[in-house]
Amino acid sequence: MTLAGAKASALAPAPAGRAARVSRKRRRSEAPWAAFFLAPTALGLAVFYLWPVVQTFYYSFTTWGPFGGHTFSGLSNYRQLAHDPELRSAFVNTAWYCLLGLAGVPVALVLAAVLARPGRRGVGFYRAVLFLPVVTMPVAVAVVWRWLYAGDFGLINTLLAKVGIHGPYWISDPHTALIAVAAVGMWSSVGYTMVILMAGLQSIPRQYYEAAQIDGAGPVRQFFALTLPLLSPSLFFVTVLSVIGTLQTFDLVYVLIGQTNPALPQTQSVVYLFYQEAFVNNNRGYAAAIAFLLLAVTVALTGLQFRLQKRWVHYA
Amino acid sequence: MGIRTVAAAAASLALVVSMAACSSGKGSAGGKVSLSYGVWDATQVPAMQKIITAFEAQNPDISVTVQQTPWADYWTKLQAAATGGAAPDVFWMNGPNFQLYASNNVIKPLTDLHQDTSVYPASLVKLYQYQGVQYGLPKDFDTVGLWYNKALFDAAGVAYPTGAWTWADFQAAAKKLTDPAKGVYGVGATLEGQENFYDTIFQAGGYVVSPDGKKSGYADPNTIAGLKFWTDLIAAKASPSLKQMTDTAPLNMFESGKLAMFWGGSWDAKAFATNDGTKTGISVAPLPTGAKKATVIHGLANVVSAHTAHTAQAEKFVQFLGSQQAAQIEADTGTVIPAYNGTQQEWVKAYPQYQLNVFLDQLPDAVPLPVSRDTAAWNTLEANLLTKAWDGSEPVGTVAAELATQMNAALAKEGS
């Protein structure tokens, strides 16, 4: 790892005292211009993201009528949150989606490693094929998977029957439904993770491997001593995104499972419950409280990841 | 359906946004008033267009555009639009949602029209009255019948259903018609109130919600018997399991010849007539008799948004929609049974291949679809809780008792 360390210190900026002062002065005179150029984006962010967040926070302390009009009801929504068994199971389900989603990262790593090998042919083709699910509409994906999963006439069970296995009703059996939903989620996100990791792999200079080879390191040692540490920033990035993304699982549950599915309690995610409360049951205030709790959990988990990254992420 | 759902969701989102952005923008350009008309059923859009053409010919200063939103998103979108004061000027209303809209002053009373309502079935007129005031003019109605596949009956050597069938006859036939080797079932026990368990609840002498809308009927032993009718059929494997029906909707199973019988509405006639599997070879009979005869009747109404900028024109359009001329157009296209008395026979004639008079003959025994002020709240409870009885994980009695408790709590909330 000496090589990587040397490179990092050489690239780190080391401003001398005078230079720093000059740049600070310049920065001050440029500030209005920076603000001017940032304004359109910042304004959009404020109006379409930050303001709704503030509003949602306020609404989480209110009770809503079916056609607007709300009354302040203090902490009653949050008190209801604490005693809602449905919410608890939705969080457990969402945690499973999160963990199973993370299991997609090693899969993507293997795919990326195979495809990123120097001299491999047809990389573009495989990359495109594996990336295809990422750019396909989630609902279209879910509809196709519904057919594949169908118990009596689905492709999966038809193939299983050929080898003598009687497949379950994948998406309506409470035992398999969550895995079935998570598998589709993994299938549709693995391409994205793979592309990020491939870029990470390709940015590792070849010379390191040559040097390691001269030092007598085998492929396994190379992977753990070179590839993994140098890829860790990319891995950190995809892990954070995967956690945030899976915490918001909704569309797959909505289309694959649906309201009268016997497996709904075992598959319903927090965002699905939020949708149900906000738009079907008209409890907008309570739904706002759910949204806020989910936001708090997301912030906490992401914060934890950033804290833990010091232990395993190496910025070369 | 899923692709349409997402497309519709995207479209409706765009619509809500654009309508919110320029809610004052729609209106009179050059003295011509344009109205929007919100509907959900795509198969009825051609008939609606024909009616609009006839209306516009009589009223050259008014133009009407149809806004179709699929059923799955219709109410969600309408509620969001109404909250923002941007609902269509005129739109379709159904029984379960009516009281919610009327009690929140989202729709206008139609007292100024002085419409003679004796031309519609009385139960429909009453369905759209809130505190004695008429808010909607009946558009159409539907009842439930027993659709059956003749070929599957012939193959099993079972006589076609008749109006004399009792529950026992029906259950025996359903079992006999089931052929596991071919994946054929006697009937599909869809987890659906209007077409399935409400009908049997009423046939058993039970009720869903008390007439004053304050008490749930699910603790009533007769009501439970009506639910048990279906769970017994599933347990006897004369119906596909809930898991199978989640994979493939019973309607689709019936259309592909996997179900011998299907409890469906009069509205299914048009879809069946255009589907290759059901174009011929099927017919319809009255529902079997339990403790008594019963079928659920429900109908839509046209209502005027309370926030419309063109009240006079919108009311004029609603009146035309409720006229004999409009009903005649609906009947001729054969989409639904028009509410205007005397035009219903035309609808029967539109499909000579089925015996559609069955739906009209059952009218004396028809029971209105159960509704209250916030029907959606306990409809969700029904879907969530009855699932457990349908998949056999809990006994019907236990589930029904739990449902009664939760539904009573929901009904109590409505009163305030």
Side-chain angles (χ1 to χ4, degrees):
Chain A
M1 283 336 301
T2 47
L3 272 173
K7 185 164 170 265
S9 62
L11 285 178
R18 208 168 65 95
R21 228 169 303 138
V22 168
S23 82
R24 203 175 304 143
K25 201 190 255 169
R26 189 192 288 161
R27 227 180 287 148
R28 210 172 300 146
S29 71
E30 284 171 351
W33 282 107
F36 176 75
F37 284 114
L38 281 174
T41 319
L43 214 65
L45 197 70
V47 172
F48 294 109
Y49 289 89
L50 296 179
W51 180 234
V53 170
V54 173
Q55 274 184 313
T56 307
F57 183 61
Y58 167 67
Y59 289 148
S60 70
F61 297 101
T62 60
T63 302
W64 278 63
F67 294 97
H70 52 271
T71 49
F72 191 78
S73 58
L75 285 171
S76 76
N77 288 326
Y78 286 95
R79 230 166 298 159
Q80 193 184 341
L81 276 184
H83 301 106
D84 188 344
E86 253 192 298
L87 184 76
R88 212 165 308 145
S89 69
F91 263 105
V92 172
N93 296 339
T94 308
W96 276 113
Y97 288 129
C98 209
L99 286 176
L100 291 167
L102 285 178
V105 175
V107 176
L109 181 57
V110 169
L111 288 171
V114 170
L115 286 185
R117 280 203 88 97
R120 175 152 319 258
R121 285 170 181 236
V123 172
F125 173 74
Y126 288 111
R127 198 173 41 198
V129 166
L130 288 164
F131 197 72
L132 214 51
V134 181
V135 293
T136 312
M137 279 198 307
V139 175
V141 165
V143 167
V144 172
W145 276 93
R146 252 192 98 109
W147 292 336
L148 294 176
Y149 278 141
D152 288 335
F153 312 108
L155 193 62
I156 293 175
N157 279 359
T158 309
L159 292 178
L160 283 179
K162 287 209 193 303
V163 291
I165 300 173
H166 186 69
Y169 292 96
W170 294 98
I171 51 170
S172 44
D173 189 324
H175 301 292
T176 56
L178 189 133
I179 302 252
V181 172
V184 179
M186 195 202 281
W187 173 82
S188 44
S189 66
V190 85
Y192 180 75
T193 313
M194 181 198 74
V195 166
I196 303 277
L197 294 181
M198 269 177 86
L201 282 173
Q202 277 159 349
S203 69
I204 302 176
R206 298 266 319 263
Q207 298 91 299
Y208 291 0
Y209 290 102
E210 285 162 14
Q213 223 161 12
I214 293 167
D215 287 346
V220 176
R221 180 82 200 275
Q222 281 181 27
F223 178 79
F224 284 103
L226 268 180
T227 312
L228 219 48
L230 289 172
L231 197 60
S232 57
S234 307
L235 282 171
F236 175 66
F237 176 73
V238 296
T239 320
V240 169
L241 279 196
S242 165
V243 168
I244 294 177
T246 47
L247 282 177
Q248 294 174 353
T249 303
F250 168 73
D251 35 21
L252 286 178
V253 180
Y254 184 78
V255 183
L256 271 177
I257 301 297
Q259 188 60 42
T260 56
N261 191 315
L264 183 64
Q266 285 82 9
T267 50
Q268 128 171 302
S269 65
V270 176
V271 181
Y272 185 87
L273 193 69
F274 159 80
Y275 168 83
Q276 198 68 18
E277 288 293 347
F279 297 109
V280 180
N281 300 347
N282 292 321
N283 295 328
R284 304 246 155 91
Y286 184 51
I290 294 178
F292 240 83
L293 183 62
L294 183 64
L295 177 67
V297 170
T298 311
V299 168
L301 280 180
T302 310
L304 186 72
Q305 282 178 292
F306 269 91
R307 194 156 270 266
L308 288 178
Q309 70 158 323
K310 293 187 190 111
R311 303 239 180 112
W312 66 280
V313 180
H314 301 264
Y315 289 98
Chain B
M1 166 221 148
I3 293 174
R4 273 162 66 191
T5 311
V6 87
S12 58
L13 200 70
L15 246 158
V16 170
V17 169
S18 68
M19 285 197 318
C22 58
S23 53
S24 57
K26 60 175 176 177
S28 43
K32 195 163 175 171
V33 168
S34 52
L35 298 176
S36 48
Y37 183 29
V39 307
W40 65 75
D41 187 356
T43 58
Q44 291 191 47
V45 169
M48 295 301 114
Q49 286 296 1
K50 267 189 194 165
I51 294 172
I52 288 168
T53 309
F55 175 73
E56 287 174 345
Q58 290 176 18
N59 301 278
D61 55 335
I62 307 176
S63 72
V64 183
T65 43
V66 172
Q67 288 178 2
Q68 190 248 332
T69 313
W71 170 254
D73 304 298
Y74 184 82
W75 298 105
T76 310
K77 179 191 154 192
L78 186 61
Q79 202 164 5
T83 305
D89 299 293
V90 177
F91 53 90
W92 283 6
M93 179 50 64
N94 71 357
N97 284 283
F98 167 68
Q99 294 185 24
L100 183 72
Y101 279 71
S103 63
N104 283 286
N105 302 317
V106 181
I107 51 178
K108 262 191 169 32
L110 298 176
T111 34
D112 294 346
L113 281 183
H114 302 294
Q115 173 76 26
D116 171 21
T117 50
S118 67
V119 295
Y120 313 112
S123 67
L124 292 180
V125 172
K126 211 165 156 259
L127 185 62
Y128 293 103
Q129 284 174 357
Y130 181 72
Q131 294 178 340
V133 178
Q134 197 74 35
Y135 279 81
L137 290 190
K139 168 189 172 296
D140 58 44
F141 71 83
D142 45 68
T143 55
V144 179
L146 171 58
W147 294 92
Y148 61 93
N149 182 320
K150 290 181 192 167
L152 292 176
F153 270 79
D154 293 340
V158 180
Y160 296 156
T162 68
W165 267 24
T166 62
W167 274 18
D169 293 327
F170 178 84
Q171 282 155 335
K175 282 169 200 162
K176 218 171 157 196
L177 288 157
T178 302
D179 185 354
K182 291 196 181 124
V184 169
Y185 291 88
V187 68
T190 323
L191 186 50
E192 192 75 59
Q194 189 180 358
E195 295 118 287
N196 293 69
F197 59 86
Y198 287 169
D199 297 271
T200 48
I201 285 172
F202 296 138
Q203 286 161 9
Y207 66 103
V208 176
V209 61
S210 61
D212 61 0
K214 290 201 180 349
K215 192 167 164 277
S216 164
Y218 278 105
D220 186 281
N222 291 335
T223 305
I224 295 170
L227 295 173
K228 213 165 166 298
F229 177 90
W230 295 107
T231 53
D232 283 351
L233 283 165
I234 297 176
K237 297 208 176 358
S239 157
S241 69
L242 182 59
K243 286 175 187 167
Q244 287 169 290
M245 292 187 286
T246 307
D247 273 352
T248 316
L251 175 71
N252 302 126
M253 292 190 199
F254 181 71
E255 285 177 335
S256 49
K258 296 285 178 194
L259 284 186
M261 295 184 281
F262 176 77
W263 290 39
S266 45
W267 65 85
D268 284 321
K270 189 171 174 93
F272 285 159
T274 48
N275 187 300
D276 281 336
T278 47
K279 214 178 255 172
T280 54
I282 67 160
S283 194
V284 64
L287 295 180
T289 311
K292 56 181 174 185
K293 283 183 184 292
T295 180
V296 170
I297 181 170
H298 174 244
L300 308 187
N302 289 297
V303 296
V304 175
S305 163
H307 296 288
T308 176
H310 310 289
T311 309
Q313 289 86 349
E315 285 182 346
K316 208 170 185 182
F317 181 50
V318 163
Q319 192 159 32
F320 185 79
L321 288 168
S323 69
Q324 188 176 6
Q325 193 184 348
Q328 206 71 48
I329 297 173
E330 273 194 297
D332 291 341
T333 52
T335 40
V336 286
I337 311 176
Y340 201 98
N341 285 332
T343 58
Q344 287 103 358
Q345 215 50 45
E346 297 296 318
W347 173 79
V348 173
K349 282 187 216 147
Y351 303 99
Q353 68 272 45
Y354 313 133
Q355 291 161 330
L356 294 187
N357 53 316
V358 158
F359 290 105
L360 302 178
D361 295 346
Q362 293 186 99
L363 275 179
D365 311 309
V367 183
L369 184 75
V371 297
S372 74
R373 240 175 75 182
D374 190 6
T375 317
W378 48 269
N379 280 170
T380 306
L381 294 175
E382 288 175 333
N384 289 350
L385 289 166
L386 290 177
T387 304
K388 294 185 216 163
W390 250 245
D391 76 353
S393 60
E394 277 179 43
V396 185
T398 320
V399 173
E402 172 67 18
L403 178 53
T405 313
Q406 293 199 22
M407 183 170 158
N408 278 329
L411 289 172
K413 243 202 243 169
E414 282 179 17
S416 55

